[in-house]
Amino acid sequence: MTIQNGTRSAVFKILASAVAALSLVAVAAPAGAAGGGAKHPRSGGFSFEGPFGTFDQAQLQRGYKVYREVCAACHGMDLMSFRNLGQPGGPFYDSHFKGGPADNPYVRVLAAEVQVADIDSETGEPIMRPATPADRFPNPYANATAAAGANGGAAPPDLSVMAKARHDGANYIYSLLSGYEPAPEGLQIAPGQYYNPYMAGDLSPFWTGDPDHVPSGGFIAMPKPLADGQVTYDDGSPQTVDQYARDVAAFIAWASDPHATERKRTGMGVLAFLFIFAGLTYASYRRIWKGIAH
Amino acid sequence: MSDHESTYVPKTGIEKWLDSRLPIIRFGADYMALPTPRNLNYWYTFGGILMLCLVIQIVTGIVLAMHYVPNTEMAFASVERIMRDVNGGWLIRYVHANGASMFFIAVYLHMLRGLYYGSYKAPREIIWILGCVIFFLMIATAFLGYVLPWGQMSFWGAEVITNLIGAIPLVGEPILIWLRGGPAIDNATLNRFFSLHYLLPFVIFGVVVLHLWALHTSGQNNPAGVLIPKERTAKDTLPFHPYFTVKDGFAIILFLILFALFVFYMPNALGHADNYIPANPLVTPAHIVPEWYMLPFYAILRAIPDKFGGVLAMFGAIGILFVIPWLDTSRVRSMRYRPTMKVFFVIFVIVGLGLGWCGAQLPDAPVVSGMPSFMLLDGQLNSYLWLTRLLTAYYFAFFLIIMPWVGLKETPLPVPASVSEPVLDGGIPEKKG
Amino acid sequence: MGRQGSIGAHERCDVTESVELNHDGHGGGDDATRRDFIHIAAGAAAVGAGVMMAWPLVNTMNPAADTLALSTIEFDLTKVAEGMQVVIKWQGKPVFVRYRTPAEIQEAVSTPLSALKDPQPDAERIKAGHEQYLVVIGSCTHLGCVPTFNAGDYGGWFCPCHGSHYDTSGRIRKGPAPLNLIVPTYEYISDTRVRIG
C-alpha cells in the first residue's frame, strides 16, 4: 500500500509541528540555565535516564542512607512519607509484602529509627515518638524562619522535588555535591559562603583577576557536605564522595518523580497502541477515499 | 441554520417522535452530511484536533480539581499529592499540563492556515473574529492555570502580568488592587484565579459552538480559496462523514502520538524547572519567563521602553488579528495564487518564531556574541532588545502595511474556476480578473 | 456535538447516505458493502482508545495512596479498663474496643444461636486467648448511627436512632438493624497491642 501524497504531507505536517514543538523546547529552556556561568553538569551515568531507564533499587537504598545520615540534618523532604520507601519502584519495595508499605518490615524499622513530633493522645502535650510508615519525613526545623536562622539566613531548600526544580536535576545534584573545589586565587568570598563551580551565579563582581576569565559557578551557603568514609555501605560499594553524591542524587531523582518507570512503561504501551491505531485508521481512510478525486 | 437543505429523514417511530420535539438527531445527521470541499488538505484537520484538545483539557481539569486545593499553603503540595498519591494522578496532571502546549501548537497552526488560505475573508469574517476571541480566551485561561501550582514562575509570572494592569493611567492601580484582592498576590488572588480558570474553558466551548455555527453558515473554505456555488455542490464537495471524519481521525491519532511523546518521555520539557520551587514572594527567580506559547507577546511587551506602551503593544498584537478581514485588500483568497504575499507570509512565520526565541532571552544579551556593537538609544544594537524591536516592527507592518499594500499591487496567479475543475474536467482554469 | 463521535463514527458508516451523493462513479472496487472489516477494526480501536482514556480518569476517584496508608492503626489495650470501652477512629469511623467482664463474656458465649437475628457464635467475633477484648466498628448496621455503650436490654449497646439493641458480643438482638456490629480485620501484635486494618 503506497502512501498517498496527501498522507505523506500529513506525516510531514505532523513532523513539522513536532520539529516546531521540539524547537520550542529549546526556546522554553531558560536562558539562565547556561547563563550566569555555571559549569555544565557532569553526567552521573544514571540508570534511570532515557526512555527505557529504570531506577537501580540498590542505589536508591544507598541514596536514602546518605540522605538520612547526612542531608536530613538540615534538609527536609516534606512531601515524602516513610511508606513511599516501600511503594512499587521505591528503594525498599518488595512484592512479597502483599499489604503494601505498611506491611513491609524494612519500612517499619526504617521509620521507627526516626523520631517524629506528635501530641500525647491523653494529655495533648507535644511528645516525640518513633515514626510509622504513614508519617511524613520530619523536617529538621520547626518552621521556615528557624531554618534560615540556623543557617546564616539561607534556609536549606526542601529536597522533595529538587531533581525537577533544577535543569538536568540528577546530574546537577551529583556535580554540585562532588564538585566542590578550592576557590581560585582572587575570588573574594564572604564568610558563610563557599565556592562551587556548578552553582548558578555570576562571579564577576567578586573577581579581582583577569576579567576575561571569570571563574564559572557561584557561591553556595552550604559547605562541602560529603567526605570519604562518612557513610557505611553494607553492600561493598565504594565509600567515596563521588559514590555518595551519585547515590543521593539518584535517591532525590526518585523522590522527585517516583512514578518515572511506570510512566515510561505506560508510554511504550500507549505508543504501540497508537501506531497500530494509526495504521488501522490510515487503511480505513484509504479504503473510504479509494478512487475519489480530490 | 445554513443554506444547505437538511437531508435527514427520520425512519423509526422514535426518531420521528424525537425529531418533532428536539431535532437533535437531525442536527447530528446534517453535521455528518455537510458538503465539504473535496480538496481539503491536512492543514484543515486542526479544527478537529482543537476540539479534542478542548475536551481533553476540560475533562482532565475537572478530575484534577477534585484533588487540587486553591490555598497558598496547600496548592503546591496538593499538586505533588496528585503526582504521587492519587491513582494515575501523574498521568492526568502531565496530560493537562502538556495538553495546554499541544492546544497552542494546534491553534497556531490552525490560525496560520486561516491566514494562508484567506479563510478570514468575506463571507467568513465572523468565523475569524470568533476564532480570535477563542484565542484570547485561551491565553487568559492558560495564564490563570499556570498560576495554580503556586511555583516560583506561577507567582512571579502573575506578579509581572498583573502589574501591567497597573500601568494603565488613572484607573490602573485601583483595578490592580481589585483584581488581586489585596495589595499583593496572595490567597485571595489564587482562589479567584482558580474559579476563573474553571469557568473560562466553558466560555471557550460556547464561543466554539458559535464559531462552528458561523462556519456551517458560510461554508468551509478550501485550499483554492474559491467559493462553491450551490450547483457545484455534488461535483466539488463530499459529505463530511465518512470522508473527513476519517481524515480528521487519522490526523488526531498522529497528533496524539506527538502528545504521548511529550507526556510519557519529556513531560517537563516545555515547562520551567523554577516552577518546582514553591512560590516565595521575597525571592525573584533569575529569569521570569512565561510559557513558550506566550513568548512572542512577552517579547513585544519588553520591546517597548514605556511600560504602558508595552502593554498597548502586547494587547495590540492580539487585537490586530481581529481586524485582518478589513486589512487585506486582495481579491484572491488563497496564497497559493499570491506568490508575493506568500513570501511575506513565510517571513511572518519566521518572525513569529524569532519573537518567541527573543522572549526567552535576556534583553541585554548579545545576539551574536563577540560582534562589536554600539549603543543606540537605550540598548546595544547587538542585543535581543533591538532584534525584538526589528521583529516587532515587521509583525505590525505585516498587518498594517503589507496586507493592504500587497493586496492592491501584486499580480496573482490564475485562480481555478472551481474546486474540482482542474482535477476532474481537465479544463483550463479561467483567468480571474 | 457530532464531533465527539468523529473517531467512533465508522461504526455508523451509513451506506445509503454516501451512495446517494454522486461520487463520479469511481467508488471503491466492491461497493457491495462499505462496512468493511477495516472500518470495524478502526472503529473498535477507537472504542478501545476511549475506554483506555476513560479508565484512568475514573480511577483517580478511587482512594489515593495516602488515604489507604491511614487504613492501618495500632492500639494499646492497657488503655481500656475492665468493663469499659474506648472509642478510637479508624478509616473515618468509630471503633469500639471493649474490655468485657467475665459475666459479660459468659452471657455472650451461652446465648443460643436460635435467639439471634444474625446467628454467629461469640468465638467467631474475638481472637482465641483474648476473649475479654471485643473490637467492633461502632456503626449501627441499620443506617450508621453510633450506638451508646452499656445501654439497651442485652447489656451491650443501644442505638438511639431507631432502637436497635446489641448484646455483649455486639450482635443484634432486637430492632431494625439486620446484621451484627462489624468486626474489622485485626490482629494481636503483642498481648497488649492490636493492629486494626
Side-chain angles (χ1 to χ4, degrees), chain A residues 14 23 36 47 62 80 85 88 97 102 123 132 154 160 177 199 208 224 229 237 242 247 258-259 261 263 265 282:
Chain A
I14 295 292
S23 62
S47 62
R62 295 193 301 269
M80 290 289 292
L85 297 172
F97 302 114
T123 65
T132 67
S160 311
L177 291 175
M199 182 70 179
T208 56
K224 181 174 168 178
S237 300
D242 187 83
D247 294 342
H259 292 283
T261 313
R263 168 168 53 82
R265 220 179 333 116
Y282 181 69

Side-chain angles (χ1 to χ4, degrees), chain A residues 6 10 13 21 24 27 30-32 80 83 160-161 164-166 255 259 263-264 267-268 281 288-289 293-294, chain B residues 38 42 45-46 80 83-85 90 105 109 243 250 253 264-265 267 270 272-273 276-277 287 292 295 357 360 424:
Chain A
K13 175 213 68 171
L24 290 162
V27 172
M80 290 289 292
R83 60 179 168 84
S160 311
V161 289
K164 286 195 290 197
R166 298 290 183 273
H259 292 283
R263 168 168 53 82
K264 293 172 187 176
M268 272 294 121
T281 308
I288 289 173
W289 278 82
H294 62 286
Chain B
R38 57 169 66 230
Y42 275 93
T45 57
F46 282 104
E80 276 299 311
M83 299 295 293
R84 292 153 189 273
D85 288 335
W90 57 268
I105 291 176
L109 292 170
Y243 294 95
F250 180 61
I253 298 168
F264 293 104
Y265 296 102
L270 296 169
H272 199 291
Y276 280 105
I277 303 173
H287 309 288
W292 69 266
L295 287 173
W357 175 259
L424 296 175

